[in-house]
Amino acid sequence: MDGLVQGFQTFLDLGPTVILPVAIFLLGLLFGQKIGKAFRSAVTIGVAFVGIFLVVDLLVNNLGPAAQAMVKRIGVELHVIDVGWPAAASISWASPVAALIIPLALLVNILMLLTKTTKTMNVDIWNFWHYAFIGAIVYFLSDGSLVQALIAAVLFQIVCLKIADWTAPMLEKYFDLPGISVATGSTISYAVLGIPMVKLLQKIPGINKLHADPKTIQRHFGIFGESLFIGLFLGLALGVLAGYDIGDTLNIGISMAAVMLLMPRMVKILMEGLMPISQSAREFLHKRFGTKDIYIGLDAAVAIGHPSVIATALILVPITVVLAIILPGNNVLPFGDLATIPFIVAFIVGAARGNIVHSVIVGTVMIALSLYMATDIAPLHTDMANNAQFNIPEGTNLISSIDQGGNLVNYVIYKLFSLFN
């Protein structure tokens, strides 16, 4: 088992920019493409994801420190530390259930495709760590029941795939991503309540008239309403809230403007490589199974490039910090996952059709719920970390994460299994 774990860890260490092109190349061959065409698509997609993750790194490396500086400046004192998704992922892959997650998840996805219970072929293998997370939670909850852990992981995967199917038309219509779905565990969790809440807001008199999206802002403010300048102004505001000096404030402003401008262009390159694969998949499935409906499941990074997603996330960073302070019963100090807010609000923004006002309102409610869930699950999250020999930050003995500790679907599954343990 240790050898199997090590083998999978070596594979995962290659990172999504290598794993995804390999998966796409193999899929291209499976769907009858010539080697040259499949290879070109795979390399193009790999290059696109290199660009996407470079822009994501630019976002995270600037937004993360600014958000953390804001937390320190305000002087928040809470005893559960949000260690962020990178720590949660490494802890998950080091759990006793991790070695079985990838083969089991692939098998489940294939069976669901064959039985037409999903339309998503999820090639985002690296993000299977979300399945490993809930599996590990239930493993420690059940005092080491591998069966319960794997059942929990499969339940989470099924929910992810079904929500990916549900939201795929939105990705095509609003994000201009035809044939694409997103089954990323952190993103889908905010869709369950987030999308219905958006629909509700749109029916409430007065609130339904509140509207602000990049096109509306540009219509009112001209050149200064372009997404480039929206990123600049929001970045500058964040720098001021973080207490940065003039140089650092200007730097984060320019960086956020760059994210707004570059991310959509990287996604266009991705679609250039993905469309031939998507077309081949549809033809293959129609010929053999009588269906053309197939979505390629990708990382949620493909959806965060929309200006409204970034704008909503930047506004929600200081709101999250304030929520942590004022919510009675919350013990989580937002930290590591403040920079991942774009990922968890993407579907909310899509459902709101880019309306930043509605997206911020719903995002605020959902993050408040996440803080409470992350607080409740912190002891088990910490048990996972101790098992993985993770170094708990000084000054606390409990950790959690907004990304997965505050994940609604995870939390429901965790509570379900709590009834039997």
Side-chain angles (χ1 to χ4, degrees):
M1 182 64 72
D2 289 341
L4 188 60
V5 172
Q6 185 60 44
F8 276 117
Q9 192 61 56
T10 301
F11 173 67
L12 292 167
D13 286 344
L14 295 174
T17 55
V18 174
I19 294 173
L20 185 60
V22 171
I24 291 295
F25 176 69
L26 294 176
L27 281 178
L29 297 180
L30 174 66
F31 294 142
Q33 286 189 327
K34 293 181 179 180
I35 292 179
K37 188 175 182 180
F39 186 68
R40 187 185 189 283
S41 290
V43 173
T44 302
I45 289 169
V47 168
F49 262 98
V50 168
I52 287 171
F53 284 119
L54 283 174
V55 180
V56 170
D57 285 344
L58 178 65
L59 171 68
V60 171
N61 291 338
N62 283 274
L63 179 57
Q68 292 165 11
M70 190 188 313
V71 172
K72 292 180 180 178
R73 188 182 184 201
I74 295 175
V76 186
E77 294 185 3
L78 297 165
H79 69 269
V80 179
I81 302 298
D82 162 29
V83 293
W85 76 262
S90 63
I91 291 168
S92 299
W93 285 128
S95 70
V97 303
L100 299 174
I101 291 298
I102 291 179
L104 179 62
L106 292 173
L107 177 62
V108 169
N109 197 173
I110 292 170
L111 289 175
M112 290 183 69
L113 286 167
L114 292 175
T115 57
K116 297 184 180 180
T117 49
T118 186
K119 298 177 182 179
T120 293
M121 179 176 293
N122 191 13
V123 298
D124 186 21
I125 297 173
W126 195 86
N127 271 321
F128 285 7
W129 76 264
H130 296 102
Y131 313 154
F133 182 92
I134 185 58
I137 285 287
V138 172
Y139 181 85
F140 287 101
L141 173 68
S142 61
D143 293 326
S145 173
L146 186 61
V147 173
Q148 289 189 47
L150 294 178
I151 291 173
V154 170
L155 285 176
F156 186 77
Q157 179 188 7
I158 291 171
V159 174
C160 287
L161 291 173
K162 298 304 289 185
I163 293 177
D165 293 342
W166 174 42
T167 52
M170 177 182 68
L171 287 176
E172 178 174 0
K173 185 176 181 179
Y174 183 72
F175 293 100
D176 196 23
L177 296 171
I180 303 301
S181 65
V182 167
T184 306
S186 51
T187 306
I188 64 96
S189 72
Y190 274 62
V192 179
L193 290 180
I195 292 177
M197 287 177 62
V198 169
K199 303 302 181 184
L200 178 62
L201 277 184
Q202 293 171 341
K203 295 179 180 179
I204 298 176
I207 295 179
N208 60 1
K209 301 297 183 183
L210 300 175
H211 189 85
D213 61 22
K215 289 184 179 179
T216 304
I217 294 171
Q218 185 172 358
R219 188 164 59 246
H220 285 86
F221 294 95
I223 187 174
F224 293 106
E226 294 180 9
S227 59
L228 179 74
F229 289 101
I230 293 174
L232 174 66
F233 296 142
L234 289 175
L236 291 174
L238 195 59
V240 171
L241 291 173
Y244 282 177
D245 60 27
I246 294 178
D248 288 338
T249 299
L250 291 173
N251 182 69
I252 191 173
I254 294 295
S255 296
M256 294 304 102
V259 170
M260 289 283 206
L261 181 66
L262 295 175
M263 185 64 85
R265 300 188 181 188
M266 296 301 103
V267 173
K268 286 183 179 179
I269 297 174
L270 171 71
M271 294 308 299
E272 178 186 332
L274 197 63
M275 288 310 295
I277 293 288
S278 180
Q279 182 61 34
S280 297
R282 292 177 184 222
E283 292 174 359
F284 178 88
L285 292 170
H286 178 63
K287 182 178 179 180
R288 286 167 176 76
F289 303 104
T291 178
K292 291 184 178 180
D293 293 330
I294 182 69
Y295 304 124
I296 306 298
L298 296 178
D299 190 294
V302 300
I304 73 166
H306 196 282
S308 291
V309 175
I310 301 298
T312 298
L314 292 177
I315 295 169
L316 282 172
V317 167
I319 289 176
T320 301
V321 176
V322 173
L323 285 174
I325 298 171
I326 66 174
L327 287 176
N330 169 62
N331 292 319
V332 174
L333 175 65
F335 205 72
D337 274 332
L338 285 170
T340 65
I341 291 178
F343 290 86
I344 59 181
V345 299
F347 282 168
I348 291 174
V349 176
R353 297 189 296 276
N355 188 331
I356 297 171
V357 177
H358 290 171
S359 299
V360 168
I361 293 172
V362 175
T364 299
V365 175
M366 292 301 300
I367 288 174
L369 293 175
S370 287
L371 289 171
Y372 280 125
M373 291 184 287
T375 296
D376 187 41
I377 210 168
L380 278 175
H381 203 315
T382 305
D383 287 344
M384 287 172 54
N386 290 330
N387 176 77
Q389 298 182 333
F390 177 79
N391 291 323
I392 304 295
E394 293 184 9
T396 185
N397 58 4
L398 287 172
I399 66 166
S400 193
S401 60
I402 294 175
D403 183 291
Q404 286 300 289
N407 182 297
L408 177 61
V409 179
N410 263 346
Y411 191 74
V412 170
I413 295 174
Y414 153 62
K415 284 299 184 181
L416 176 64
F417 279 86
S418 297
L419 298 176
F420 307 103
N421 292 282

